[in-house]
Amino acid sequence: VEMVFENLTPSKIMTKEAFENAVYVASAIGASSNCPPHLTAIARHMGIDFNLDQWEKLGHRIPLLANCQPAGEHLMEGFFKAGGIPAIMKELIKDKKLNIKVLTVTGKTIEENLNMKIDVIRDVIKSYENPLSHNAGFIVMKSNFFSSAVMKTSVISSEFRERYLSNKDSLNIFEVKAVVFEGPEDYHARINDDNLKIDENSILIIRGCGPVGYPGSAEVVNMQPPDKLLKKGINTLPTLGDGRQSGTSESPSILNVSPESAVGGDLLIIKTGDKIKIDLKKRRVDLLISKSEFKKRRKNKKIFKANNQTPWQEIFRDTVGQLEDGACINSRGSYLDVSHKKGLPRNSH
């Protein structure tokens, strides 16, 4: 209420510098892969140019400071007691990684808010000089069959790194065989099908799970291996899809693939058995087929036909954008600061 009297509006707080701070903090705590689309959406509604590439540009080299699950050991209650977000922010300030003059909802700057002593528990919140891991932010992947996807590097386990990223002749590069599922129901029905011949050299791909296809984009990309591999101690396989994944997942998935298959994205042309090359150094995911085969498959795409169960699904599907742009409603007008620019909507009572 005091903010209303002070005219402390969202546009005075949610500046470009504030969004940059959000990327720094999200990277340092190993935040959810849901952060990029949400912050992109908020920035769009604020009229701020803040795209997906900012996550890698600003955040990838930020070290992981929060020793919390799934990348670490502790839970959120322990993180709070150890100093929480204020302690993380003070560590980032030490290395001049925060914009400390930005205004906050308290009416004070970040610098003023953090002018206090915090008793930090170092087993839970690491120092900038002694992090849990280095280069822990998100990376943005490009491809010959999609324009963008994100990968959360802080949850790459030692097991996954040893199996896929440690070949001395091709460090951080590996090739895998595609196994494709048409949504989560298909995945659950067939993941243990021996005919798929899923092994440690496979990548599990799921499509039809983006903003239009699901609709709403589902948290389903973090698929676990079939039972036969789990029994052998192989707990994670590479996964890729046009949906999202839970922030609590340990799986280093390539997710939020845009454009999604339901709007004709080339994720549609992937077939089980295709070879895919993943290069984390070049931030590339490439389908290894010939140009003529690409052309043939694109020509024969079968575009998704929506089965809207409610009018709201129809309206949503007709207006929603892709995850790389925050999956916002693509309206024809600008609705920032409407009370001053357009006037308050009329009361219908």
Side-chain angles (χ1 to χ4, degrees), residues 265-331:
D266 279 342
L267 189 58
L268 264 180
I269 71 174
I270 310 297
K271 296 180 179 180
T272 293
D274 285 343
K275 283 286 196 299
I276 291 178
K277 181 180 180 180
I278 298 171
D279 186 337
L280 296 190
K281 291 190 290 188
K282 293 183 178 179
R283 314 290 194 252
R284 295 285 308 179
V285 181
D286 288 304
L287 174 61
L288 303 180
I289 60 175
S290 66
K291 289 182 180 179
S292 59
E293 182 64 15
F294 252 112
K295 188 176 180 179
K296 177 183 172 183
R297 292 191 190 185
R298 282 172 173 154
K299 185 179 178 181
N300 295 323
K301 279 183 189 177
K302 292 183 179 179
I303 306 299
F304 169 80
K305 290 184 179 179
N307 176 27
N308 294 314
Q309 297 157 300
T310 69
W312 314 119
Q313 286 187 5
E314 182 178 354
I315 292 168
F316 179 82
R317 280 176 161 141
D318 286 346
T319 58
V320 72
Q322 292 296 290
L323 284 170
E324 64 183 351
D325 296 321
C328 295
I329 290 175
N330 290 320
S331 56

Side-chain angles (χ1 to χ4, degrees), residues 34-45 50-52 148 211 216-217 244 256 258 316 320-330:
N34 285 305
C35 283
H38 280 83
L39 280 181
T40 300
I42 296 168
R44 281 190 67 187
H45 283 294
F50 192 82
N51 59 39
L52 191 59
S148 73
S217 187
R244 300 176 296 118
N256 299 6
S258 300
F316 179 82
V320 72
Q322 292 296 290
L323 284 170
E324 64 183 351
D325 296 321
C328 295
I329 290 175
N330 290 320

Side-chain angles (χ1 to χ4, degrees), residues 81-325:
K81 291 178 179 178
I85 294 295
I88 294 286
M89 294 178 79
K90 292 194 84 163
E91 285 298 322
L92 290 169
I93 288 172
K94 288 180 186 177
D95 204 64
K96 298 181 180 179
K97 285 294 186 295
L98 280 189
N99 303 296
I100 60 175
K101 299 298 183 182
V102 299
L103 194 62
T104 70
V105 292
T106 64
K108 298 177 181 179
T109 65
I110 282 179
E111 184 179 31
E112 292 170 321
N113 286 343
L114 294 176
N115 185 22
M116 59 181 175
K117 185 178 183 299
I118 300 175
D119 294 321
V120 180
I121 300 174
R122 283 296 175 207
D123 182 49
V124 184
I125 296 177
K126 303 294 185 179
S127 67
Y128 204 91
E129 300 77 22
N130 184 35
L132 197 65
S133 64
H134 295 278
N135 299 336
F138 297 97
I139 57 175
V140 179
M141 309 293 282
K142 305 293 183 182
S143 173
N144 61 354
F145 63 94
F146 60 77
S147 65
S148 73
V150 297
M151 185 175 186
K152 181 177 173 180
T153 60
S154 64
V155 292
I156 297 178
S157 65
S158 55
E159 173 202 332
F160 189 94
R161 194 173 294 279
E162 176 68 25
R163 181 173 296 114
Y164 299 107
L165 305 175
S166 299
N167 188 321
K168 292 180 181 178
D169 297 325
S170 55
L171 202 62
N172 290 321
I173 303 170
F174 60 101
E175 290 185 15
V176 275
K177 180 195 74 173
V179 180
V180 182
F181 298 100
E182 307 294 344
E185 295 83 4
D186 184 34
Y187 159 73
H188 288 296
R190 294 196 298 129
I191 184 60
N192 287 310
D193 185 344
D194 289 335
N195 293 324
L196 292 175
K197 297 182 171 58
I198 300 173
D199 59 22
E200 57 267 38
N201 298 310
S202 300
I203 181 169
L204 306 181
I205 295 178
I206 193 166
R207 61 192 176 201
C209 301
V212 173
Y214 200 73
S217 187
E219 291 189 330
V220 294
V221 181
N222 47 317
M223 299 165 281
Q224 73 174 25
D227 294 344
K228 65 180 182 181
L229 293 188
L230 292 172
K231 290 173 183 176
K232 289 170 61 176
I234 299 172
N235 297 308
T236 53
L237 287 176
T239 60
L240 180 147
D242 53 9
R244 300 176 296 118
Q245 99 179 18
S246 169
T248 60
S249 172
E250 295 180 36
S251 174
S253 308
I254 298 167
L255 59 153
N256 299 6
V257 166
S258 300
E260 63 178 301
S261 60
V263 298
D266 279 342
L267 189 58
L268 264 180
I269 71 174
I270 310 297
K271 296 180 179 180
T272 293
D274 285 343
K275 283 286 196 299
I276 291 178
K277 181 180 180 180
I278 298 171
D279 186 337
L280 296 190
K281 291 190 290 188
K282 293 183 178 179
R283 314 290 194 252
R284 295 285 308 179
V285 181
D286 288 304
L287 174 61
L288 303 180
I289 60 175
S290 66
K291 289 182 180 179
S292 59
E293 182 64 15
F294 252 112
K295 188 176 180 179
K296 177 183 172 183
R297 292 191 190 185
R298 282 172 173 154
K299 185 179 178 181
N300 295 323
K301 279 183 189 177
K302 292 183 179 179
I303 306 299
F304 169 80
K305 290 184 179 179
N307 176 27
N308 294 314
Q309 297 157 300
T310 69
W312 314 119
Q313 286 187 5
E314 182 178 354
I315 292 168
F316 179 82
R317 280 176 161 141
D318 286 346
T319 58
V320 72
Q322 292 296 290
L323 284 170
E324 64 183 351
D325 296 321

